[in-house]
């Protein structure tokens, strides 16, 4: 075998490996649609998405997932509101302010946070946060929107922090020096030069953090409370889509309407996370700064 | 200390960690003159330049010994705020580094931080600074476009205008034309000649002809030491030290 053939072979091998993940993704999406779409022969799409009643085992069953969608959106929004300031500000501190030693400690503890299995966080929410919240605020249950949002935020912080940190590091040293040389303080340099320059990366970080939160299953299954009803207060229990799928899939008969409805819920979730990722992609391309010194 | 010296460097040693980058530097920079710092790469000339407005503070693990007087005050005294020093001693870098903002906002960035100016004052200042940097005619219609769209030479003049908008006393230039084409370089050199009426300019350059063309005084550095410092005409025609002559005539370096 000569050198050229070898090159070709190596190329082909890498291509196959690269292809595998794409093929697997394709197969998963295919089976998701194959199992979920038949539901819409029995229930129309509008009733499915905007229906307020989720009684999949009643007779006749009702498959309205609006309350589940609302639940997912609400916990994601609250988790984002908590996680974004914490994640972004810690990234700013780590990349721009912290002395070397503290930087190392903080970075590795945030990475450790990312490594915590979600079931451990869910367990923490269940046995520590929930009873405390129930007692402190005198609630019927501590498994509610606030609890789920806090735990989801803890999960999203490492994602947001590490991606935002990369974006901040990528801000060219030349911009910082230019700012300091004009007599700007560190704070002025951070708020007026570094953050705006890293904005696209930070927005990407936020959206990827949100997509992490909306798809997260174990935490919402354990601490969101599981009530498929429209919440009236932030201390109400809710049933986000992933929790519903995980809790019911085991008991839904194979290829029954209930089973198909759960897959259809999965399709909705799939489209939502895909939208988040597309937005993140769009932002990071659109606002990417033109590099300096286009000579 | 010379009569019209604006900066006095007194026995300065400088270290990056354990590496001694400058040894016993003692020199005065005279007001309203262009002083060129020359020498082979790694000789410490850029380091010295960055010491003059405390830019080396931004690098971890550096140490300064000795004193640098600016208008009679030691800028390395413990009670001196480097931010205040940098407002009076502006800097232009090797690679043009405009902010990824509009042309207008590039100029107004510094003044807005420093003074409480009205919109019309800032407008005037932007126009005046751009005129000083001979860029006004080229950009007056695109002030709200990104500075990133300008050519390299225009960007560098924008950076000069940005530094001038702070109304500094001294302008430090770190190889300001090394990334530019000959035409842009000529424009910047013309500009430097014009600016020395009002400013003291200290410029690091690798280009011998440039140093000879634009500077009044030239200092030659080698491995962290000041070898020779004199009038540019003298340095380039009859240097006192053989080493300087060897460098200028291209026998080494």
């Amino acid at each position: 075998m000569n050198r050229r053939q070898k090159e070709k072979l190596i190329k082909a091998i890498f291509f196959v490996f690269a292809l595998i993940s794409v093929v697997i993704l394709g197969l998963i999406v295919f089976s998701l649609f194959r199992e979920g779409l038949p539901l819409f022969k029995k229930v129309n799409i509008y009733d499915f998405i905007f229906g307020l009643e989720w009684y999949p085992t009643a007779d006749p069953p009702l498959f309205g997932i609006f309350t589940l969608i609302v639940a997912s959106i609400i916990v994601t929004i609250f988790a984002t509101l908590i996680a974004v300031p914490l994640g972004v500000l810690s990234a700013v501190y780590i990349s721009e302010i912290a002395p070397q030693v503290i930087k190392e400690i903080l970075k590795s503890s945030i990475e450790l946070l990312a490594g915590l299995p979600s079931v451990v966080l869910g367990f923490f929410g269940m046995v520590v946060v929930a009873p405390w919240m129930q007692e402190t605020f005198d609630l019927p249950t501590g498994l509610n929107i606030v609890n789920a949002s806090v735990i989801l935020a803890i999960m999203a912080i490492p994602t947001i922090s590490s991606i935002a940190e990369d974006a901040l590091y990528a801000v060219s040293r030349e911009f910082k020096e230019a700012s300091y040389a004009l007599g700007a303080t560190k704070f002025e340099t951070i708020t007026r030069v570094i953050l705006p320059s890293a904005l696209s990366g930070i927005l990407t970080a936020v959206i990827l953090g949100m997509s992490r939160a909306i798809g997260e299953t174990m935490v919402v299954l354990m601490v969101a409370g599981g009530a498929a009803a429209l919440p009236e207060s932030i201390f109400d229990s809710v049933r986000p889509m992933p929790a519903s799928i995980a809790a019911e899939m085991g008991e839904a008969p194979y290829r029954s309407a209930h089973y198909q409805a759960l897959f259809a819920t999965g399709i909705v979730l799939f489209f939502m996370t895909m939208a988040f990722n597309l937005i993140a992609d769009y932002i990071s391309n659109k606002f990417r700064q033109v590099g300096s010194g286009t000579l | 200390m010379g009569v019209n010296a604006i900066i006095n460097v007194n026995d300065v040693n400088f270290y990056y960690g354990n590496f001694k980058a400058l040894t016993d530097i003692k020199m005065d920079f005279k007001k309203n003159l262009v002083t060129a710092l020359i020498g082979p790469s790694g000789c410490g000339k850029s380091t010295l330049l960055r010491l003059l407005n405390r830019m080396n503070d931004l690098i971890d693990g550096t140490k300064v010994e000795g004193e640098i007087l600016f208008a009679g005050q030691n800028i390395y005294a413990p009670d001196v705020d480097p931010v205040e020093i940098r407002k009076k001693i502006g800097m232009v870098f090797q690679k043009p580094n405009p902010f990824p903002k509009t042309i207008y906002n590039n100029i107004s960035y510094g003044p807005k931080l420093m003074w409480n100016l009205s919109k019309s004052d800032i407008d005037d200042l932007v126009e005046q600074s751009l005129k000083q940097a001979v860029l006004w005619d080229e950009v007056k219609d695109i002030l709200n476009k990104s500075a990133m769209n300008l050519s390299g030479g225009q960007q560098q003049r924008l950076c000069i205008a940005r530094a001038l908008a702070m109304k500094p006393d001294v302008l430090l230039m770190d190889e300001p034309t090394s990334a530019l084409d000959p035409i842009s370089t000529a424009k910047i050199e013309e500009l430097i000649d014009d600016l020395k009426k009002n400013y003291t300019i200290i410029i690091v350059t690798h280009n011998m002809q440039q140093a000879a063309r634009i500077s009044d005084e030239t200092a030659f550095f080698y491995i962290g030491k000041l070898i020779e410092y004199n009038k540019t005409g003298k340095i380039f025609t009859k240097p006192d030290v053989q080493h300087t002559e060897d460098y200028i005539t291209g026998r080494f370096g």
Side-chain angles (χ1 to χ4, degrees):
Chain A
M1 194 159 61
N2 65 28
R3 187 148 28 132
R4 183 176 297 203
Q5 285 167 325
K6 236 186 219 165
E7 284 288 327
K8 268 192 177 161
L9 180 71
I10 290 169
K11 249 190 198 169
I13 291 172
F14 276 93
F15 177 70
V16 168
F17 279 110
L19 204 62
I20 287 176
S21 60
V22 179
V23 170
I24 290 175
L25 175 71
L27 290 175
I28 291 175
V29 174
F30 172 75
S31 60
L32 183 65
F33 280 86
R34 190 189 56 182
E35 303 298 325
L37 286 181
L39 175 77
F40 299 117
K41 286 180 201 143
K42 302 164 199 161
V43 184
N44 81 43
I45 287 196
Y46 184 89
D47 288 342
F48 178 67
I49 290 180
F50 293 101
L52 289 175
E53 329 253 338
W54 176 255
Y55 295 118
T57 50
D59 193 25
L62 289 166
F63 300 112
I65 62 163
F66 192 65
T67 57
L68 315 187
I69 296 176
V70 168
S72 274
I73 291 174
I74 283 186
V75 293
T76 303
I77 288 174
F78 278 113
T80 309
L81 289 180
I82 301 167
V84 166
L86 289 172
V88 172
L89 293 182
S90 67
V92 170
Y93 181 72
I94 289 172
S95 79
E96 301 301 326
I97 303 170
Q100 198 60 35
V101 184
I102 298 180
K103 186 183 288 189
E104 294 302 325
I105 297 172
L106 271 178
K107 267 190 83 147
S108 32
S109 38
I110 288 179
E111 272 157 29
L112 203 65
L113 195 60
L116 276 185
S118 53
V119 67
V120 172
L121 281 168
F123 187 70
F124 172 76
M126 227 170 162
V127 302
V128 179
V129 182
W132 172 82
M133 207 180 274
Q134 191 171 3
E135 243 172 70
T136 314
F137 300 103
D138 192 23
L139 303 168
T141 171
L143 302 173
N144 55 31
I145 295 175
V146 175
N147 192 344
S149 306
V150 169
I151 305 290
L152 283 179
I154 294 174
M155 297 201 63
I157 285 171
T159 308
I160 295 176
S161 177
S162 63
I163 299 174
E165 198 189 312
D166 289 344
L168 290 165
Y169 271 126
V171 174
S172 131
R173 219 184 71 159
E174 297 156 19
F175 293 155
K176 301 179 198 174
E177 289 203 326
S179 174
Y180 287 122
L182 288 166
T185 62
K186 186 162 230 170
F187 179 73
E188 288 161 347
T189 302
I190 289 173
T191 53
R192 290 168 202 233
V193 173
I194 299 176
L195 280 177
S197 305
L199 194 62
S200 70
I202 291 172
L203 287 175
T204 308
V206 168
I207 289 171
L208 291 179
M210 287 175 85
S211 106
R212 173 106 173 75
I214 201 168
E216 167 53 30
T217 306
M218 191 49 79
V219 164
V220 290
L221 180 62
M222 289 170 84
V223 301
L230 285 181
E232 283 161 5
S233 111
I234 55 170
F235 291 111
D236 281 353
S237 291
V238 289
R239 188 180 191 85
M241 289 182 278
S244 188
I245 297 172
E248 296 164 39
M249 194 52 96
E251 43 200 73
Y254 182 63
R255 294 211 165 147
S256 64
H258 186 191
Y259 169 95
Q260 288 164 345
L262 292 177
F263 269 95
T265 311
I267 294 174
V268 173
L269 195 57
F270 170 74
F271 277 120
M272 286 175 94
T273 41
M274 193 165 76
F276 278 123
N277 284 296
L278 288 178
I279 293 170
D281 248 19
Y282 175 77
I283 290 176
S284 65
N285 285 327
K286 165 136 196 192
F287 297 108
R288 184 161 291 153
Q289 299 294 355
V290 188
S292 77
T294 36
L295 297 169
Chain B
M1 169 170 168
V3 189
N4 54 355
I6 186 164
I7 294 178
N8 316 93
V9 179
N10 289 336
D11 304 316
V12 163
N13 291 295
F14 182 77
Y15 305 84
Y16 291 110
N18 290 323
F19 174 72
K20 193 170 190 182
L22 291 173
T23 309
D24 298 328
I25 304 294
K26 187 167 173 53
M27 64 192 297
D28 296 342
F29 293 98
K30 297 200 185 83
K31 210 170 164 168
N32 290 43
L33 289 187
V34 177
T35 304
L37 309 181
I38 62 171
S41 297
C43 71
K45 56 194 189 307
S46 287
T47 302
L48 176 65
L49 192 77
R50 293 168 59 93
L51 273 177
L52 301 179
N53 68 343
R54 294 195 58 169
M55 285 302 279
N56 284 335
D57 288 19
L58 303 176
I59 303 167
D60 287 336
T62 56
K63 196 175 85 188
V64 188
E65 289 167 2
E67 55 174 20
I68 295 176
L69 303 180
F70 169 61
Q73 182 197 21
N74 181 12
I75 63 170
Y76 282 91
D79 59 330
V80 170
D81 182 358
V83 166
E84 294 305 315
I85 297 300
R86 293 184 198 128
K87 285 175 180 169
K88 293 184 198 127
I89 305 182
M91 190 163 203
V92 176
F93 296 83
Q94 181 172 0
K95 208 170 145 202
N97 58 352
F99 298 122
K101 300 173 186 281
T102 63
I103 294 169
Y104 183 95
N105 286 341
N106 260 279
I107 308 284
S108 64
Y109 177 80
K112 270 186 183 167
L113 295 177
M114 186 173 176
W115 303 295
N116 216 343
L117 294 172
S118 71
K119 173 89 171 73
S120 67
D121 285 346
I122 293 178
D123 288 349
D124 291 345
L125 188 60
V126 168
E127 180 173 346
Q128 185 197 339
S129 309
L130 285 169
K131 277 182 174 159
Q132 269 185 299
V134 204
L135 190 60
W136 175 251
D137 290 334
E138 291 159 64
V139 301
K140 63 179 180 223
D141 299 321
I142 52 167
L143 290 177
N144 288 319
K145 292 263 163 63
S146 168
M148 293 306 187
N149 298 330
L150 298 175
S151 75
Q154 289 174 323
Q155 287 188 1
Q156 193 63 304
R157 277 179 284 149
L158 179 70
C159 292
I160 294 174
R162 182 174 68 183
L164 295 177
M166 295 298 288
K167 305 191 181 297
D169 299 321
V170 180
L171 204 52
L172 308 175
M173 299 179 140
D174 191 359
E175 299 182 48
T177 61
S178 68
L180 304 182
D181 64 78
I183 295 168
S184 304
T185 301
K187 280 190 181 163
I188 304 257
E189 288 185 8
E190 231 171 86
L191 176 59
I192 290 171
D193 205 44
D194 207 39
L195 290 174
K196 75 175 186 190
K197 287 174 214 142
N198 300 313
Y199 302 92
T200 305
I201 294 172
I202 303 170
I203 178 170
V204 165
T205 179
H206 270 295
N207 181 332
M208 290 305 113
Q209 286 85 4
Q210 182 170 66
R213 276 195 301 265
I214 62 173
S215 70
D216 303 296
E217 313 236 300
T218 298
F220 172 61
F221 290 83
Y222 188 66
I223 326 182
K225 290 193 176 128
L226 176 60
I227 306 296
E228 189 169 357
Y229 180 31
N230 216 323
K231 294 215 166 5
T232 300
K234 165 99 171 131
I235 292 262
F236 279 91
T237 52
K238 248 178 69 186
D240 290 331
V241 185
Q242 183 62 35
H243 210 150
T244 314
E245 187 170 344
D246 289 349
Y247 180 69
I248 289 167
T249 53
R251 241 168 277 167
F252 88 101

